[in-house]
Amino acid sequence: MRSWYRSTVGGLPRLYWYLWTGMLINRVGGFVALVLSLYLTSARHLSVPVAGLVVGAYGIGGIAGVLCGGVLADRWGRRSTLLLAHFGAVAVLSGLIFARPIPLIAGLAALLGLMHSMPGPAFVAAIVDVTPADDRSRAFNLQFWAFNLGMAVASVLAGALAEVSFTLLFTVDAAGTLLTALLILWKVRETRPAHRVSSARPAGGLHTALTDRAYMSFVGLSLLLAILSTQTSTILPLAITGDGLRPSVYGSVVAYAALLIVIGQLFVPRLIDRWRKGTALAIANVFLGLGFAAVSLADGVAGYLAAASVWTIGSMIAAPPNAAVIAELSPEALRGRYQSVFYLTFPAASFIAPAAGGVSLQYLGNWHWIVCGSLGLLAAAGHLLIQPARERRVAEQLEAERFAVPVAG
């Protein structure tokens, strides 16, 4: 047990654990987004199409928040960005409790999406700042674990509180967000490294990430992974109910996958630490592809649980090297911006997966899941192909940063 503790959670900086605790509290309390459409239709009596537009405003705000969060984390600092996002979210949630006009609700929903998405790039950039390179795989693995544990608890709380009072739900969410903000204010110092100049790699801006071929190749492959992962929340419910199973079966499958992650993610670092990151990502995508391809054979609860076991293994393997590669490819002065570009894959996948997946499932039937499996294998091959060039780029960047000199400002 002592050996497991040292290899899994031991030795990480104290500041990392403050950030980790803040993320966990934020995830546990961040459940308004999960039931926003239900709140709009049942408590505000909006029609389904209008509620959909308001939820869409939340999504648009999220896209803007990802980019703003990355830019501000590099310009203002990680701590300032986190405080702005969390205190801002508290204010918006408080406004939503009393908002009645539909345009006001839509505007506040967009602002909430903005505030909810801003902390992501800043949190991860801060983790990279304070965690030694050799420990980042463990740090990101524990971050992924906290995220899933928080989401699992949030899902249960959201359903329970929504049955009691939406006002109570918004209040508890605001209280959790405020608690995170106070923790950051009290315990988290600014982690942004001193600006450094290097003749080999100037600081640049957001366009630097968007025109970085090595990085955007990795982001493109990550988009395929995100599209696969998003099947669980978009197309999988349709497949399960299409097989004549009750909606509760879908909830059971999702809960089972979350439980696997909470239990198994703590043991992943010891398994993959000796693997090259591209190899680990290739294996992860193979498991994801095989898991979703197995859905084509599932027609009962056991079949769906078996498929979930396979794709969840892929998700667990992918999380630590995915985050570590982003950290490696991000120039020190642009960590927030690089994180924000990567985070854009999630809203993009949230659009592509249901839009293309719905048509695919309707016309291809179970062959849709074979296509998903093929995408997983394609992404696996891509990671193996780009691995040598990416590793050379990382080595060159490390060499350049060795000779960079700190400057004021």
Side-chain angles (χ1 to χ4, degrees):
M1 177 62 72
R2 185 176 299 174
S3 173
W4 170 85
Y5 176 84
R6 275 199 298 262
S7 64
T8 305
V9 302
L12 293 171
R14 180 177 297 179
L15 186 52
Y16 166 81
W17 289 110
Y18 291 138
L19 292 165
W20 183 91
T21 303
M23 284 188 288
L24 179 60
I25 296 172
N26 199 35
R27 283 296 92 196
V28 170
F31 39 66
V32 162
L34 300 176
V35 294
L36 184 58
S37 58
L38 180 62
Y39 164 75
L40 294 170
T41 54
S42 61
R44 291 291 167 255
H45 309 294
L46 301 184
S47 65
V48 172
V50 174
L53 290 174
V54 175
V55 174
Y58 176 90
I60 292 172
I63 294 173
V66 164
L67 295 175
C68 287
V71 173
L72 292 179
D74 286 336
R75 288 187 177 177
W76 287 4
R78 312 348 179 180
R79 184 174 184 269
S80 299
T81 302
L82 291 172
L83 290 174
L84 171 64
H86 286 90
F87 281 119
V90 172
V92 175
L93 285 165
S94 301
L96 275 171
I97 294 175
F98 303 103
R100 293 297 181 271
I102 294 176
L104 177 59
I105 293 175
L108 289 173
L111 281 175
L112 186 63
L114 179 78
M115 296 301 171
H116 276 177
S117 296
M118 280 178 61
F123 263 130
V124 178
I127 289 174
V128 176
D129 294 339
V130 304
T131 308
D134 292 342
D135 292 330
R136 284 174 187 162
S137 178
R138 291 188 298 125
F140 289 127
N141 180 71
L142 289 165
Q143 175 210 357
F144 183 65
W145 182 86
F147 179 88
N148 282 277
L149 177 62
M151 285 297 292
V153 175
S155 299
V156 174
L157 285 176
L161 291 174
E163 292 183 1
V164 177
S165 165
F166 280 105
T167 299
L168 178 62
L169 185 147
F170 278 84
T171 302
V172 173
D173 193 333
T177 305
L178 179 61
L179 182 59
T180 304
L182 294 175
L183 175 66
I184 295 168
L185 185 64
W186 180 35
K187 289 293 187 180
V188 176
R189 60 173 172 78
E190 179 53 58
T191 67
R192 184 180 56 169
H195 179 60
R196 304 201 295 178
V197 294
S198 168
S199 59
R201 193 167 185 82
L206 188 62
H207 68 279
T208 307
L210 294 171
T211 56
D212 184 332
R213 291 185 179 181
Y215 186 67
M216 292 308 295
S217 296
F218 171 77
V219 169
L221 293 173
S222 298
L223 176 61
L224 291 181
L225 186 148
I227 290 172
L228 286 177
S229 300
T230 308
Q231 299 295 314
T232 58
S233 60
T234 56
I235 307 303
L236 186 66
L238 302 178
I240 289 175
T241 55
D243 280 336
L245 300 174
R246 298 174 61 185
S248 59
V249 172
Y250 169 69
S252 299
V253 171
V254 173
Y256 169 74
L259 180 62
L260 281 183
I261 290 174
V262 170
I263 295 173
Q265 195 69 37
L266 294 175
F267 302 93
V268 167
R270 296 187 67 180
L271 172 66
I272 68 173
D273 268 351
R274 292 186 177 89
W275 299 355
R276 295 166 69 185
K277 295 180 181 66
T279 302
L281 288 169
I283 293 172
N285 277 278
V286 168
F287 272 101
L288 278 161
L290 292 177
F292 285 110
V295 174
S296 65
L297 304 175
D299 56 5
V301 177
Y304 282 104
L305 291 178
S309 299
V310 179
W311 81 59
T312 301
I313 291 172
S315 296
M316 289 191 290
I317 294 174
N322 220 19
V325 167
I326 301 167
E328 288 179 342
L329 292 174
S330 305
E332 191 176 76
L334 301 176
R335 280 174 180 162
R337 290 173 173 86
Y338 270 62
Q339 289 292 338
S340 68
V341 170
F342 171 77
Y343 268 77
L344 284 176
T345 61
F346 298 107
S350 296
F351 172 75
I352 295 171
V359 175
S360 175
L361 187 66
Q362 179 177 353
Y363 290 101
L364 298 180
N366 279 334
W367 282 97
H368 164 78
W369 302 107
I370 303 300
V371 172
C372 289
S374 301
L375 287 179
L377 298 179
L378 178 64
H383 278 294
L384 293 177
L385 285 173
I386 71 170
Q387 181 166 238
R390 179 181 57 77
E391 290 177 342
R392 287 194 299 271
R393 153 68 188 283
V394 170
E396 292 169 359
Q397 183 163 297
L398 288 174
E399 185 68 16
E401 290 181 353
R402 280 180 56 198
F403 296 100
V405 292
V407 296

